[in-house]
Amino acid sequence: MNGDFLALLPKSVVPQVTAAAPEAVQATTVFAFHCREGVVIAGDHRATAGNTIFSDKTEKILDLDSHSLMAIAGVPATAFEMARTLQTTFEFYRRSQLQPMSLQAKIRALSKLLRDNLPATLQGFGVVAPIFAGIELSDPKAGPCIYFYDPLGAQFEAATFAGSGSGSGSIKSVLHFLEKWGDPPPGEMSVPQATTLAIRLLMTAAEFDSATGGVNPELELFATIKVLTRDGIKTIDLKEQERCWREKAR
Amino acid sequence: MLEGKGSMTEEPYRWLEAIGNRREYIRDQIKGGTPVFALSRPEGILLLGIGHGQSKIFEIYDRHGFAALGHPVDIEKVRQAAIEAAHIEGFNRSSKDVTLRRLISFALSTTLKNSFEQIFSPPLMVESLFAELGETPAEDILVRVHYDGNHRYETSGVLVASSESKQEEEAASWIRRTLKAKDGLAQAASLCLTAWQSLVDNKPFTDLAAPEDPVLKIEGKSVEAALLDRKLPGSVHYRILDLNRLKN
């Protein structure tokens, strides 16, 4: 009994593709950045298939357990399955071993799923480039961390922010600018300030990326925004986002 | 066979005798185990056990808990089997499809019965109870599962698992009679601990009165409590309960 849930399954949960597939795209915008209280992780709601908007109500920020989250960018079928696999893996380990999985093990569990997905990634089908946010609860001094991955499974810790998806280029530029010259920089923002920033970032991404959308406060369309602290995960609900937007978090 | 050439299991009367001996052996082995409790309350399902630091109550799945007495290694085997079955079902279908009725009927009771009847392998020496949290106390499910796979569903909202079935029922009846609908978790836990002490001391329940001040600890023992919390947001409802922080 080693607490490995995947060992209980008869085969790999990720699809093994052998046929040629179309060019890889990660049509979305998800990002995470540190704020004063913890880590903000946010994403738009649009899912696309080529030039077609598939849905404007897609949840891309998924709770994996009480203290870890995943933002998905890439092929939804594979990404959702990875998130579901991790949710069960973390809870199975915690319950069977009577202790939570360490942060490093969680980070590597996602890395392993990405590596197992290598055949689909290399063929351009099933590419996933997620962002992970978590916290090492066994260390009383540890704060939340952000990790981003390449589609082959390499993980990198983000000191200040990370972004993924086709709309993340413009967002990363803005976040870099704010970290250097912002007053306050995102790392010193309160949660309401960071919420307003997250909405603005998604609107900026949507301006330049057709695959990012579904966020427009004037039409009462808001993003998924969550905050991770040592107390757990807090979802900034639509009402709260609207309040922050109206008050511009002054 | 009549001439003694067959194996023991081919002779029905010897097989019955072996099963009887096995039952006696298991009962003797778990005699020293102390009782565990499950109470369905408006706040959720209270699980309670008392021991020497060895865990007796456990989380199985989002809305499911388990409490047992017996050999620690066997408790662990049953716990692992329940957790594995629940997580595979929850992963392949959904968490809503993980129900106690299916877990007991298809995964656990069969395993326990097989283990009990395989007379040439060691038996699983576990007396246990399982709980499933519903939306309301009326929808909660409590099941008493015996070492031989036999099980019964308890509808009164009070379930005790002990090594002696007569005393077990007396303790459960006393708690049912004494616990009032408006009583909080502290009072519910206190009655469990009072009943536990009476069971361990082998005292009758006929003259036993509810303590005036809630009893929330037992000298020299570690009291372990958990709540399948009805109001806890999110999918996981199990949480460890610190009895000292409970308000009356």
Side-chain angles (χ1 to χ4, degrees):
Chain A
M1 298 299 172
N2 61 8
D4 182 5
F5 173 71
L6 293 181
L8 299 175
L9 300 176
K11 59 182 172 56
S12 171
V13 292
V14 288
Q16 301 299 307
V17 179
T18 52
E23 188 186 343
V25 287
Q26 294 138 45
T28 191
T29 301
V30 290
F31 58 88
F33 62 85
H34 286 275
C35 70
R36 199 165 58 210
E37 283 93 342
V39 158
V40 172
I41 186 161
D44 71 319
H45 286 157
R46 178 162 291 178
T48 56
N51 293 326
T52 307
I53 297 171
F54 218 65
S55 165
D56 262 346
K57 290 183 177 173
T58 308
E59 285 296 336
K60 300 173 189 173
I61 312 298
L62 306 170
D63 297 12
L64 299 179
D65 64 9
S66 64
H67 287 83
S68 58
L69 296 144
M70 179 175 161
I72 57 169
V75 173
T78 315
F80 283 130
E81 196 62 4
M82 283 181 181
R84 216 167 65 85
T85 304
L86 290 177
Q87 284 163 351
T88 310
T89 301
F90 295 173
E91 288 298 342
F92 178 77
Y93 182 91
R94 184 180 65 77
R95 288 172 179 140
S96 66
Q97 307 300 299
L98 299 172
Q99 64 178 56
M101 191 182 275
S102 71
L103 179 64
Q104 284 307 312
K106 288 179 184 176
I107 291 161
R108 291 196 61 193
L110 175 51
S111 181
K112 186 177 181 307
L113 285 182
L114 289 164
R115 214 165 47 247
D116 289 348
N117 192 42
L118 187 63
T121 303
L122 288 178
Q123 290 170 87
F125 184 89
V127 176
V128 179
I131 297 170
F132 175 90
I135 191 162
E136 181 54 75
L137 287 173
S138 65
D139 179 357
K141 289 179 187 162
C145 302
I146 303 169
Y147 284 81
F148 59 99
Y149 292 77
D150 75 6
L152 301 185
Q155 79 255 4
F156 308 91
E157 183 171 4
T160 49
F161 64 85
S164 189
S166 55
S168 65
S170 47
I171 276 188
K172 286 195 269 193
S173 301
V174 175
L175 281 167
H176 176 76
F177 178 90
L178 289 174
E179 281 296 337
K180 281 272 185 193
W181 298 288
D183 184 20
E188 291 173 19
M189 286 182 175
S190 64
V191 169
Q193 285 174 317
T195 301
T196 308
L197 172 61
I199 298 169
R200 287 174 175 172
L201 287 171
L202 284 167
M203 293 177 75
T204 304
E207 191 69 20
F208 299 103
D209 177 37
S210 62
T212 299
V215 180
N216 187 344
E218 301 308 323
L219 300 174
E220 296 185 341
L221 294 172
F222 289 96
T224 300
I225 303 175
K226 300 194 180 201
V227 182
L228 173 66
T229 64
R230 281 199 78 87
D231 294 335
I233 297 164
K234 186 188 175 212
T235 301
I236 309 293
D237 63 23
L238 305 188
K239 214 177 229 179
E240 182 72 6
Q241 287 188 43
E242 188 175 13
R243 195 182 63 76
C244 292
W245 178 259
R246 298 283 172 225
E247 292 176 9
K248 298 286 188 278
R250 277 174 194 153
Chain B
M1 191 165 69
L2 292 171
E3 290 164 2
K5 288 178 184 171
S7 72
M8 188 178 97
T9 51
E10 287 168 336
E11 299 174 49
Y13 296 108
R14 288 187 70 186
W15 188 82
L16 282 176
E17 192 185 341
I19 286 288
N21 289 343
R22 197 170 170 85
R23 205 177 282 280
E24 206 171 297
Y25 168 71
I26 295 171
R27 280 181 180 157
D28 185 60
Q29 288 294 305
I30 59 176
K31 207 164 52 184
T34 67
V36 288
F37 302 80
L39 269 65
S40 174
R41 305 298 299 157
E43 298 90 336
I45 299 176
L46 173 70
L47 296 167
L48 197 136
I50 297 102
H52 300 280
Q54 190 92 37
S55 280
K56 300 181 86 132
I57 59 171
F58 305 95
E59 178 181 11
I60 296 295
Y61 199 64
D62 293 354
R63 297 173 294 120
H64 298 90
F66 164 65
L69 60 138
H71 197 292
V73 174
D74 294 337
I75 292 176
E76 189 61 17
K77 280 182 186 166
V78 174
R79 186 180 80 85
Q80 290 289 351
I83 288 178
E84 285 186 11
H87 283 76
I88 290 172
E89 181 63 15
F91 182 78
N92 287 334
R93 293 194 171 89
S94 83
S95 60
K96 295 270 179 202
D97 294 283
V98 181
T99 61
L100 203 46
R101 199 169 290 274
R102 295 181 67 225
L103 269 184
I104 301 288
S105 299
F106 306 131
L108 299 174
S109 59
T110 318
T111 308
L112 283 164
K113 186 170 189 296
N114 285 343
S115 160
F116 176 65
E117 289 178 349
Q118 298 294 321
I119 56 174
F120 292 113
S121 58
L124 287 171
M125 295 183 284
V126 186
E127 287 288 0
S128 58
L129 59 82
F130 284 83
E132 176 179 291
L133 185 73
E135 293 289 323
T136 63
E139 292 165 278
D140 288 347
I141 297 174
L142 303 177
V143 190
R144 176 76 171 88
V145 182
H146 296 276
Y147 57 83
D148 59 358
N150 195 9
H151 56 276
R152 69 176 169 84
Y153 287 81
E154 179 57 54
T155 52
S156 72
V158 176
L159 187 56
V160 181
S162 167
S163 53
E164 297 289 337
S165 58
K166 188 167 173 284
Q167 288 181 326
E168 170 182 312
E169 191 40 50
E170 280 175 6
S173 299
W174 180 79
I175 295 174
R176 278 177 215 127
R177 284 197 309 273
T178 317
L179 187 62
K180 296 178 179 58
K182 63 175 175 50
D183 285 340
L185 288 175
Q187 180 65 6
S190 170
L191 293 183
C192 289
L193 292 181
T194 308
W196 181 90
Q197 193 66 64
S198 204
L199 282 169
V200 170
D201 295 344
N202 211 9
K203 286 183 180 167
F205 282 87
T206 41
D207 302 327
L208 187 65
E212 285 182 17
D213 294 321
V215 176
L216 295 173
K217 58 182 171 184
I218 289 184
E219 209 58 49
K221 306 277 183 191
S222 61
V223 179
E224 210 185 350
L227 183 70
L228 284 164
D229 194 333
R230 232 179 283 286
K231 288 186 181 156
L232 212 58
S235 57
V236 178
H237 290 273
Y238 184 96
R239 70 177 172 92
I240 302 291
L241 212 53
D242 182 353
L243 291 186
N244 296 319
R245 298 178 71 177
L246 284 181
K247 289 176 186 164
N248 298 323

